């Protein structure tokens, strides 16, 4: 069985400082990366910045900066966000790096060799903000301005010499690929969108521009800059040292298991990218997952709308585990979701502070008082104990299957359900009322609940790594014990060492906060 797993985020435009939408894509990808690691996979998790093109050049000019210096500064902000979000990315790629331009050059040459590139003239609509070409039927006039129907961003008329990629000739092959690989595009609603679009027939794609200079030049024709999307998409293989297809990294990790992206960039990932790869005779990624948008005031966040939510402000106030949990629990991954600070507070209080956090605290305090602060062994488990533990253990297979389809909402709902069950079990079992009368039974209850706290901490670890790390460390478990195997296997708990002190995991948020 292939035990390697390659997952990517979109690479972000360093045109402004990162916002909650960017944080969302990255957090989601990190959760899957962490889950696969605890499942025992060698994971490669890639993120980075997309630095070329007209959009960035214009933004740099607006700020009176050389584009490279401008990108250096903003790319650093995205890089430091990876730490703030507690991401476990193994690499951070910048498209201004040499390893990347080398890879883009080679991909271009392959497309020339395969006969998929020709020189002509482009005339049509272009949105600098989306870095996308639009057909006449994809634009509309609003308040006297021509905008893209899908993104609402301004379009301008462009007429220039351009290299084209023979996208039209890949229509049939793409449709075949979607048909034969039912889960290539998820969620299903997104797949249908793409298929409908492709079925209408694809036009050849302009893949070079001549009206600005910030980007990678076309090999042998320096007048042309390679279209920023062809440039950007290639990052997924540049990070694996393409064009060296014998490289260990490339061999281990290509094709990627999943590209996590927002639905706004589905067309680029589910149509253009696979078409480039087909033409270059390279394997296609196994999946493109398009998540919905985080809405602020019911609208997609954007600089021009002025409704940007700053993830760093929220994290400073409420904590990163708290934000990660909230985004997973309260936003449906495939759909758009509004977020509000009110809901975030309720979620922290009800799910994290009152439920999981409080359970750990109460159980640890009880063990300290009544069992010399050590996890007791159980001589005999009764039906209720077995049921609590087995419900979870027997469902691990299904949880893995849910995560394999990026069904994060089902996963979290199930795990939170187990956490509520564990709380109820502890309350109903009342170990405090039998500690004198039946100390053996008390030990069985404590063993059961601690075993379950360990299991819950492992399952919640990809989502709230800091808090669950504290719980597991307090139980004297090591990083290696944070694995799905440690849920299935018995006898992972350490009965010899005293529990370490467990600080409050989630403070309740008062209303005036
Ligand atoms: N640079 C391109 C991606 C190239 S990938 C080869 C790009 N960058 S971006 O910075 O504009 O946005 C990247 C991603 O951020 C979006 O696809 C999406 O995943 C995420 N989001 C940006 N705004 C968002 C929301 N409001 N909500 C959720 N995610 C959104 O596109």
């Amino acid at each position: 069985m292939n035990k390697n797993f390659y997952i990517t985020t979109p690479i972000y435009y360093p045109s402004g400082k990162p916002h909650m939408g960017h944080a969302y894509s990255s957090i989601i990808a990190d959760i899957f990366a962490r889950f696969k690691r605890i499942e025992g996979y060698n994971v490669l998790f890639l993120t980075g910045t997309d630095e070329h093109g007209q959009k960035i050049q214009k933004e740099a000019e607006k700020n009176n900066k050389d584009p490279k210096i401008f990108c250096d500064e903003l790319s650093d902000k995205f890089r430091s966000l990876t730490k703030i979000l507690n991401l476990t990315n193994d690499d951070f790629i910048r498209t201004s790096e040499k390893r990347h331009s080398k890879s883009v050059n080679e991909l271009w040459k392959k497309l020339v060799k395969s006969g998929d590139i020709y020189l002509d003239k482009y005339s049509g609509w272009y949105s600098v903000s989306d870095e996308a070409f639009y057909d006449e039927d994809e634009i509309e006039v609003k308040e006297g301005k021509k905008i893209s129907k899908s993104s609402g961003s301004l379009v301008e008329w462009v007429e220039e010499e351009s290299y084209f990629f023979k996208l039209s000739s890949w229509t049939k092959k793409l449709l075949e690929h979607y048909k034969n690989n039912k889960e290539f595009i998820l969620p299903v609603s997104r797949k249908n969108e793409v298929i409908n679009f492709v079925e209408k027939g694809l036009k050849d794609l302009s893949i070079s521009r001549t009206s600005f200079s910030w980007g990678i030049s076309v090999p042998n024709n320096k007048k042309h800059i390679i279209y920023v999307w062809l440039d950007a998409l290639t990052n997924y293989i540049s990070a694996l040292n393409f064009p060296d297809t014998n490289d260990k990294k490339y061999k281990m990790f290509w094709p990627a298991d999943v590209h996590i992206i927002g639905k706004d960039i589905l067309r680029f990932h589910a149509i253009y990218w696979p078409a480039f790869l087909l033409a270059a005779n390279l394997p296609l990624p196994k999946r493109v997952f398009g998540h919905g948008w985080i809405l602020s005031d019911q609208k997609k966040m954007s600089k021009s709308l002025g409704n940007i939510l700053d993830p760093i402000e929220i994290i400073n106030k409420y904590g990163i585990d708290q934000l990660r949990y909230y985004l997973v629990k309260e936003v449906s991954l495939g759909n758009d979701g509004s977020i509000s600070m009110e809901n975030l507070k309720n979620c922290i209080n009800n799910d994290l502070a009152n439920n999981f956090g409080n359970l750990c605290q109460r159980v640890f305090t009880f063990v300290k008082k009544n069992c010399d602060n050590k996890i007791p062994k159980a001589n005999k488990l009764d039906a209720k104990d077995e049921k609590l533990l087995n419900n979870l253990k027997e469902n691990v297979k299904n949880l893995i299957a849910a995560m394999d389809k990026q069904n994060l909402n089902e996963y979290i709902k199930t795990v939170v359900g187990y956490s509520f069950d564990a709380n109820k079990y502890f309350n109903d079992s009342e170990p405090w009322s039998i500690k004198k009368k039946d100390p053996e039974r008390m030990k069985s209850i404590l063993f059961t609940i601690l075993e379950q706290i360990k299991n819950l901490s492992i399952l919640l670890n990809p989502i709230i790594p800091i808090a669950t790390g504290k719980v597991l460390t307090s139980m004297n478990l090591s990083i290696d014990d944070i694995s799905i195997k440690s849920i299935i296997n018995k006898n992972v708990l350490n009965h010899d060492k005293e529990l370490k002190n467990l600080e409050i995991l989630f403070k309740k948020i008062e209303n005036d906060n």
Side-chain angles (χ1 to χ4, degrees):
M1 192 169 92
N2 177 7
K3 275 284 196 182
N4 301 321
F5 186 83
Y6 181 28
I7 182 165
T8 64
T9 72
I11 48 171
Y12 304 102
Y13 290 128
S15 54
K17 60 179 192 161
H19 64 61
M20 193 57 114
H22 304 133
Y24 185 64
S25 287
S26 289
I27 289 172
I28 296 303
D30 183 59
I31 291 170
F32 293 122
R34 285 179 184 264
F35 186 81
K36 280 310 217 190
R37 284 196 201 98
I38 67 170
E39 219 192 310
Y41 281 72
N42 302 312
V43 172
L44 183 72
F45 170 26
L46 177 71
T47 188
T49 44
D50 179 1
E51 307 188 2
H52 293 137
Q54 204 173 3
K55 178 184 171 105
I56 300 289
Q57 181 171 321
K58 275 194 166 171
E59 210 56 47
E61 282 162 4
K62 240 200 266 169
N63 287 277
N64 280 325
K65 292 208 165 132
D66 166 79
K68 178 66 170 63
I69 294 172
F70 179 73
C71 287
D72 285 348
E73 287 171 8
L74 278 159
S75 179
D76 267 355
K77 290 212 184 334
F78 280 89
R79 197 188 288 267
S80 55
L81 186 70
T82 63
K83 303 280 174 296
I84 297 168
L85 299 178
N86 202 2
L87 304 185
T88 53
N89 56 300
D90 302 282
D91 196 351
F92 184 99
I93 192 159
R94 298 183 56 187
T95 54
S96 56
E97 287 172 84
K98 227 196 172 112
R99 60 170 167 163
H100 178 69
S101 54
K102 181 173 157 204
S103 168
V104 173
N105 267 281
E106 288 308 313
L107 182 63
W108 181 280
K109 287 182 195 157
K110 268 184 179 287
L111 299 179
V112 171
K113 220 169 164 186
S114 66
D116 282 275
I117 291 183
Y118 62 92
L119 187 62
D120 202 342
K121 194 177 158 200
Y122 177 79
S123 50
W125 297 105
Y126 192 77
S127 155
V128 176
S129 160
D130 303 344
E131 296 284 20
F133 300 96
Y134 289 112
D135 280 343
E136 200 66 48
D137 63 348
E138 292 178 303
I139 62 159
E140 62 185 350
V141 181
K142 239 189 195 161
E143 291 158 12
K145 289 180 184 141
K146 286 211 157 45
I147 57 168
S148 140
K149 280 185 195 166
S150 55
S151 68
S153 56
L154 278 182
V155 295
E156 61 190 34
W157 187 255
V158 169
E159 269 188 34
E160 58 192 40
E161 187 185 76
S162 171
Y163 284 96
F164 281 80
F165 170 72
K166 287 187 186 164
L167 183 62
S168 57
S169 66
W170 295 99
T171 308
K172 210 169 133 235
K173 274 262 159 44
L174 284 170
L175 287 170
E176 259 169 40
H177 188 76
Y178 306 143
K179 198 169 140 222
N180 297 336
N181 299 274
K182 297 261 180 293
E183 294 179 346
F184 175 62
I185 305 167
L186 283 182
V188 175
S189 54
R190 297 272 129 74
K191 178 175 87 175
N192 297 339
E193 232 174 79
V194 170
I195 293 179
N196 290 341
F197 184 82
V198 177
E199 271 174 348
K200 282 193 249 156
L202 295 168
K203 282 197 188 150
D204 289 351
L205 179 70
S206 161
I207 49 163
S208 75
R209 306 281 319 271
T210 51
S211 45
F212 62 90
S213 58
W214 176 237
I216 303 174
S217 324
V218 166
N220 305 323
N221 191 348
K222 300 283 169 244
K223 203 170 84 190
H224 285 256
I225 297 296
I226 295 178
Y227 176 38
V228 64
W229 271 101
L230 171 52
D231 169 341
L233 288 160
T234 310
N235 91 88
Y236 300 131
I237 51 177
S238 330
L240 305 179
N241 303 325
F242 178 83
D244 184 0
T245 50
N246 283 321
D247 184 88
K248 191 168 158 233
K249 232 178 181 178
Y250 182 89
K251 282 191 144 161
M252 275 175 81
F253 293 111
W254 193 256
D257 290 272
V258 57
H259 294 312
I260 299 288
I261 56 159
K263 64 177 186 177
D264 46 338
I265 54 174
L266 191 61
R267 187 182 296 186
F268 306 98
H269 284 81
I271 302 174
Y272 301 170
W273 181 224
F276 297 148
L277 291 168
L278 283 169
N281 202 16
L282 294 167
L284 308 198
K286 291 180 206 152
R287 179 168 304 157
V288 174
F289 187 94
H291 64 68
W293 288 336
I294 298 287
L295 305 178
S296 154
D297 301 330
Q298 311 299 325
K299 293 197 190 76
K300 183 175 184 253
M301 260 168 274
S302 79
K303 249 200 311 195
S304 50
L305 288 176
N307 61 347
I308 301 280
L309 287 169
D310 181 350
I312 300 177
E313 260 173 43
I314 298 176
I315 292 164
N316 285 343
K317 198 156 168 195
Y318 299 109
I320 179 59
D321 270 7
Q322 287 84 338
L323 175 66
R324 290 169 66 107
Y325 182 87
Y326 172 65
L327 290 174
V328 173
K329 176 76 189 327
E330 302 292 323
V331 180
S332 156
L333 184 59
N335 303 312
D336 294 352
S338 278
I339 63 174
S340 83
M341 293 308 106
E342 201 49 41
N343 287 347
L344 171 62
K345 279 187 233 168
N346 289 339
C347 180
I348 295 173
N349 289 347
N350 297 338
D351 281 30
L352 293 176
N354 287 348
N355 184 5
F356 180 69
N358 191 29
L359 174 70
C360 297
Q361 231 80 46
R362 281 168 72 207
V363 172
F364 274 53
T365 310
F366 190 88
V367 170
K368 190 170 185 179
K369 268 204 198 131
N370 300 291
C371 300
D372 301 327
N373 207 17
K374 286 184 185 158
I375 300 174
K377 286 189 177 148
N379 283 327
K380 185 175 161 286
L381 296 185
D382 74 11
K384 223 168 62 169
D385 312 333
E386 299 276 9
K387 190 171 163 217
L388 183 86
L389 297 176
N390 289 341
N391 270 351
L392 184 149
K393 280 190 192 178
E394 285 164 9
N395 205 23
V396 165
K397 266 199 314 292
N398 297 331
L399 289 172
I400 292 175
M403 288 300 256
D404 278 342
K405 291 193 176 180
Q406 286 73 48
N407 199 342
L408 194 47
N409 298 103
E410 182 187 320
Y411 178 86
I412 188 85
K413 205 170 129 216
T414 310
V415 177
V416 172
Y418 291 141
S419 177
F420 277 99
D421 292 349
N423 246 309
K424 183 166 176 348
Y425 166 90
F426 191 59
N427 289 342
D428 293 353
S429 307
E430 297 186 5
W432 44 89
S433 65
I434 53 161
K435 60 184 187 190
K436 293 239 159 63
K437 219 169 45 198
D438 192 353
E440 281 311 306
R441 177 67 201 133
M442 177 194 74
K443 284 186 193 166
S444 301
I445 295 167
L446 292 177
F447 166 81
T448 304
I449 195 71
L450 282 156
E451 172 74 12
Q452 195 70 340
I453 286 177
K454 174 208 67 180
N455 295 339
L456 288 169
S457 298
I458 294 171
L459 290 174
L460 287 171
N461 185 259
I463 299 159
I464 47 171
I466 299 176
T468 52
K470 282 182 192 161
V471 177
L472 294 164
T473 310
S474 300
M475 294 172 102
N476 298 300
L477 296 172
S478 73
I479 294 274
D480 294 339
D481 294 316
I482 309 181
S483 70
I484 296 291
K485 248 198 261 148
S486 302
I487 296 178
I488 315 280
N489 297 351
K490 282 195 173 135
N491 307 328
V492 174
L493 293 183
N494 185 327
H495 301 277
D496 303 325
K497 281 193 185 162
E498 283 192 31
L499 294 177
K500 296 195 184 89
N501 189 40
L502 183 67
E503 57 189 85
I504 301 273
L505 296 174
F506 303 102
K507 287 204 186 81
K508 276 187 90 158
I509 314 286
E510 301 305 334
N511 255 341
D512 52 343
N513 233 323

